[in-house]
Structures are given as structure tokens and as C-alpha cells.
Amino acid sequence: MTATPDVDLPPESQAATVLNPATGAVAGTVRWTDPADVPRIAAGLRRAQREWEARGPKGRAKVLARFAVWMGEHRDEIEQLLIKETGKSATDAAQEVPLLIMIASYYIKTMEKALAPEARPASLPFLNIKKVTVHYRPRPIVAIVAPWNYPVANLLMDGIAALAAGCAVLLKPSERTPLTAELLLRGWADSGAPEVMAIVQGAREAVEAVVDNADYVQFTGSSATGAKVAERAARRLTPVSLELGGKDPMVVLEDADIDLAAHAAVWGAFFNAGQTCVSVERVYVLEPVYDQFVAAVVRDVKNLKMGAGEGHDFGALIDDSQLAVTERHVADAVAKGAKVLTGGKRATGPGSFYEPTVLVDVDHTMDCMTEETFGPTLPIMKVASVAEAVRLSNDSPYGLSASVFSKDIDRAKDVAVELDCGAVNINDVISNLMCTTAPMGGWKTSGIGARFGGADGVRKFCRQEVVVAPRTNIGAGGNYYNNSLRALKRMNTMMTKLALIRPKRTAK
């Protein structure tokens, strides 16, 4: 119901109407940016960024703190608009603003230390005459190209770190969910912040213009689109960080707490109608507990309430094109022998709603087990051994995150490090997204680079500048074009000693 990346949009610079995917009602209007205006917008950000960098970490932290307070005070307004443009349930919408406030709080406390110049030791004793310092200098403009599934969180969870680093931020929200971005920009201005944040609205041409005018690109979205963004950025050797699609597996061992695992699977699969990159997209259950696990899942799913706003567990899919992917995956599974235990069809009535669907008797010939669904489905497969569960989990082009359930934590850890992905949650799902001290990134086609990661979450938006200064003036310039026999002999002696260096032997 809202615009998709593959459909024709109104001509750039014209207003477009955004519809609520839960009701079809008008959520608001937005004016597309003329791509020809993006260089001018970027030039303004570059001018403002110099003063922003000069404020230093303490000065920037004060502004970020005011912005965090604004988000807290306007949380209800943000969430109501979020529900209108996405069709989310109130429960799902309530997650985004607190996440941003948590991230801002973390970086406000740690950014000064993370960005402090870092002394490096000499690699060899004779080089101690030099003092080596690494400085972290912000890239002038960081582009944030955000998706529609979490329009608030995905827009600024990296943007806050970039602002902390001293960068200006050029936001490109999804053309499906452009409204909350405008509200957040207003909040930045209302916080007394300088004009180091700007928005470009539009679709493909807008993305291209943003990438062409940025010094770093943070993209979150599908693997196919991420590859196109990286290709575009490579024309100017602009660095990118890509958090892309996933097909996250859950492994349930025979000693797991079955009720806990079932609760986690249902929440992880149907939270935000399954439109989460780190959602539970497939489950592998050891044979001894398979029937018990399936029964617990079906029990939990039957208690879910589907609908937008308050009183519901999860809301609509973003539009009918996303719903069609879910329908295709379920139909393919059924045609190949899968059984539908709950749901399996579009909900009656208005809106892009699909019933929460549990599938069993599934295998890897089915699209629901190999392609990213991004919808409210939960396929469950019986396996005979842990080795089979690991093999099937890794049988995927994706590698974003995973989960393992077992009462034996050490055993679960052993399984976790065999899974080919960026993060594994033990006896939980999605929780790694809250761990700002740890990197969040994908393997294989799930992306390159990572968000968060403690100090690295800020430093990723910086360029490293090395300053090598003398500790003493003694010997300065002694080797400049010094071709004397004495100098040559001294050099040969030093190189011989270096060549004879042997590593110390450790005692057996």
C-alpha cells in the first residue's frame, strides 16, 4: 500500500501520500527531494560539520543529551506516527525510541575516551626516539540509508554514533516510511543542535545522489540492494558498512527448557510481523523433544493477537508486495509436503495482515527454509543430531545471527562457535542487538562491517591520522643521503642484528 523500491514514485520534488498498511488510511504526505539538490544539501552539512567537530566530545555530548531528552519527552508522538506509517502494534512500536535513548546514553558516557588520541609503542628499541600517536578524525558526511521495518531505530542507531564522532549525518529514510524521519529532524533542531543533520527523501535516484555525496555509507536493507550501494560507493572509493538480510536459525537441543525455547521462537518469529533482520526464520529441533516443542509453539501462537496499535502483539506487513512473498513461501512449502499447523493465509478484512503461521515437515528444498521471508512464519524441522542441526544451520548464503537453547551452557557455547554467523544468543533471541559493547555484523551475504562494538562503534566513522613526533633532536637527519662507508657499516650491523633476532622459547 505504501511505495516500494520497485514501483514508480511521483516525480522527484513532488509530494507523495503515505498510506497506513493496516487500514489504507492516509498517514501523511512528504515531499520528495530533487536529486539535483543533494550536492547543495551536502555542502551545507560540510560547512556545519567543521564547527561540530571543533566542539570536541564534551561539547557534542551535551547536544546529544538534549536530543535524548527530547526523544523521551516526545515518545508518544513518535510512536503514534510510527504506528500510522507502518501498521505496527503498540507493543512493537514501543521498542524503538528506548533503544535510541539507550544508545545515546552509552555513547555520551564513552565517546570522549573512545576518541582520545592513542599512543602507540615503538616496534623496536632504537625507534623509541619517536613518539607515535593515532588520532581519530571524523569523516565529514556519513550517509545513513535506512529501511522501513524500524524507521526510527534504524535511522539513528548508527547516526547517533556518527554524530558523537563529529560527523554530519545525511539521512535517507525508506520511501515507504518517510514520516518519522521528518519528526526526528525537527527534534534535533528543537534540541538546539547545529545543522549537521539533514534528510533526503525519495527512492533509487535519491539513494544514488546521497551515496555520491557522502564520505561514508551505512546501509541497512536487503543483500541485493546492499550490493548495489557498495558498487555505487566504490566509484569514489567511499567506504561502506552493510547490515543486510538474514535467515537466522534456532537450534533446540534435547536438554533445553522447552517452554522457554517455544516462547522465544514465537516472539522471535512474529515480533514486528517477522519483519526483523535478526528474527527467528527457521528452527531445528532434536528429535527427542520435537513433538513437545511443536505443541508448545502452537499453544503460544494461538494466544497471539494480530492488529495495529494498542492491545495487539504484532501488526501488519508493510505492504501487499511483502505479504506476497510470505504467501509464496507458504504455498511453495505446502506444495512440497509441509503441513500448516496455524495460519497459512492472509487475514480477512482491510490491511496487509498475514496470520501467524507454523509450518512442520519442512526441509531445505523449500523456499521458507532457504530464502529470507520477512513475514510471520515459523518453519520447524526435526533433526537427528546436533551435527545435523549445525550443518543445516550453516547451509545458507546468510550469516547474521542465530540462537541455541540448552540447559548446559557450556555445551550450547560449543554449538554456538560452530555456527557461521556474526552473533549467537544462548537461551534467548535478538538480545545481541542490545549489547552496544559488542559488534553487530553479518557473515557471507548478510553484510560487511558492523555496528556498535564499544569504541569501534564511534571510531568506524573516523579516519585514522598518525602523528610521528621526535622525542629528542639528537640524531635528527642522521641518515639523510648519508652514503659514507661508516654510515653503511652501521646500517649493515643493525640489519644483521635484526636478522638474528629469534623468538623466545617457552618451557615445555
Side-chain angles (χ1 to χ4, degrees):
M1 290 185 178
T2 51
T4 70
D6 298 318
V7 302
D8 292 332
L9 292 168
E12 303 288 0
S13 298
Q14 291 188 10
T17 300
V18 180
L19 301 181
N20 183 332
T23 64
V26 174
T29 59
V30 68
R31 183 168 293 279
W32 300 133
T33 306
D34 187 337
D37 286 339
V38 175
R40 175 186 57 78
I41 296 170
L45 289 176
R46 291 186 189 281
R47 289 191 295 270
Q49 183 273 332
R50 290 192 288 269
E51 188 273 334
W52 180 240
E53 178 183 0
R55 292 190 184 202
K58 288 184 178 179
R60 297 194 294 272
K62 292 178 181 178
V63 179
L64 288 170
R66 293 198 301 268
F67 183 50
V69 169
W70 183 93
M71 287 191 289
E73 292 176 344
H74 292 77
R75 180 181 173 187
D76 288 346
E77 182 183 1
I78 297 169
E79 290 175 359
Q80 288 304 310
L81 182 58
L82 183 60
I83 291 169
K84 284 183 179 180
E85 73 174 348
T86 63
K88 289 177 183 277
S89 69
T91 300
D92 289 345
Q95 312 295 318
E96 301 197 39
V97 172
L99 177 61
L100 291 184
I101 293 174
M102 180 190 76
I103 293 169
S105 177
Y106 173 74
Y107 284 124
I108 287 166
K109 296 173 183 176
T110 61
M111 56 194 280
E112 184 175 13
K113 182 178 180 181
L115 296 170
E118 197 174 69
R120 298 289 175 90
S123 56
L124 294 168
F126 78 91
L127 290 176
N128 272 322
I129 62 173
K130 300 294 185 182
K131 183 179 180 180
V132 180
T133 310
V134 178
H135 295 257
Y136 295 95
R137 299 284 307 282
R139 299 180 187 275
I141 297 180
V142 170
I144 309 289
V145 183
W148 46 261
N149 58 335
Y150 295 98
V152 172
N154 272 319
L155 191 74
L156 285 180
M157 66 168 62
D158 299 291
I160 288 170
L163 290 165
C167 312
V169 171
L170 185 56
L171 304 172
K172 213 307 281 181
S174 170
E175 64 275 17
R176 294 173 173 180
T177 53
L179 303 176
T180 44
E182 300 282 350
L183 179 54
L184 290 169
L185 181 62
R186 191 196 84 193
W188 180 252
D190 289 350
S191 303
E195 295 181 353
V196 288
M197 185 190 294
I199 292 177
V200 171
Q201 299 282 19
R204 186 182 301 108
E205 291 182 5
V207 173
E208 292 173 350
V210 165
V211 172
D212 290 347
N213 285 275
D215 305 298
Y216 190 99
V217 179
Q218 173 70 49
F219 173 83
T220 306
S222 71
S223 299
T225 306
K228 294 177 183 177
V229 168
E231 182 182 359
R232 183 86 184 190
R235 299 179 185 182
R236 297 174 55 246
L237 298 182
T238 302
V240 299
S241 179
L242 310 174
E243 201 238 284
L244 308 177
K247 191 69 182 176
D248 293 3
M250 172 191 281
V251 176
V252 181
L253 304 186
E254 76 279 1
D255 63 346
D257 180 329
I258 297 303
D259 276 339
L260 174 64
H263 293 331
V266 171
W267 182 76
F270 300 119
F271 176 70
N272 203 42
Q275 299 170 123
T276 304
C277 57
V278 290
S279 67
V280 176
E281 286 239 4
R282 50 197 170 114
V283 185
Y284 303 98
V285 186
L286 269 291
E287 188 171 3
V289 294
Y290 175 82
D291 291 338
Q292 183 184 355
F293 176 81
V294 170
V297 165
V298 171
R299 174 202 66 203
D300 285 0
V301 171
K302 288 182 177 179
N303 291 326
L304 294 179
K305 296 179 181 178
M306 179 175 57
E310 294 184 1
H312 300 100
D313 295 301
F314 73 91
L317 292 163
I318 193 64
D319 59 21
D320 281 357
S321 67
Q322 193 60 44
L323 190 147
V325 175
T326 306
E327 288 181 319
R328 176 173 63 81
H329 282 190
V330 172
D332 172 79
V334 170
K336 293 175 180 175
K339 294 179 182 177
V340 176
L341 299 186
T342 68
K345 62 183 184 298
R346 179 174 185 153
T348 57
S352 301
F353 290 96
Y354 195 88
E355 294 180 353
T357 300
V358 177
L359 296 164
V360 295
D361 295 344
V362 294
D363 59 45
H364 277 222
T365 67
M366 302 173 185
D367 294 341
C368 69
M369 295 294 284
T370 58
E371 296 181 9
E372 186 175 33
T373 305
F374 231 56
T377 63
L378 183 58
I380 307 171
M381 184 173 179
K382 182 192 301 184
V383 292
S385 65
V386 174
E388 183 183 11
V390 169
R391 177 180 62 80
L392 291 170
S393 294
N394 291 339
D395 181 24
S396 173
Y398 298 107
L400 196 53
S401 68
S403 56
V404 179
F405 282 75
S406 170
K407 292 178 182 177
D408 186 336
I409 302 302
D410 289 335
R411 184 186 181 203
K413 288 180 180 178
D414 289 341
V415 175
V417 295
E418 293 187 63
L419 301 177
D420 296 339
C421 59
V424 181
N425 298 290
I426 293 175
N427 292 339
D428 203 354
V429 294
I430 308 180
S431 58
N432 64 291
L433 185 59
M434 307 298 166
C435 301
T436 51
T437 58
M440 180 190 173
W443 293 14
K444 298 186 277 189
T445 61
S446 287
I448 57 175
R451 55 166 52 110
F452 305 144
D456 290 341
V458 174
R459 290 176 179 174
K460 67 179 277 187
F461 298 114
C462 296
R463 297 165 292 188
Q464 295 184 29
E465 182 177 0
V466 178
V467 177
V468 181
R471 295 183 184 273
T472 174
N473 290 328
I474 297 175
N479 290 322
Y480 295 170
Y481 291 111
N482 191 337
N483 296 321
S484 68
L485 292 176
R486 182 178 179 182
L488 182 61
K489 182 178 180 180
R490 185 170 65 245
M491 178 64 73
N492 288 337
T493 300
M494 180 182 70
M495 296 305 297
T496 299
K497 289 180 178 179
L498 290 176
L500 293 175
I501 291 176
R502 296 289 186 269
K504 292 181 180 180
R505 293 183 178 179
T506 57
K508 294 183 178 179

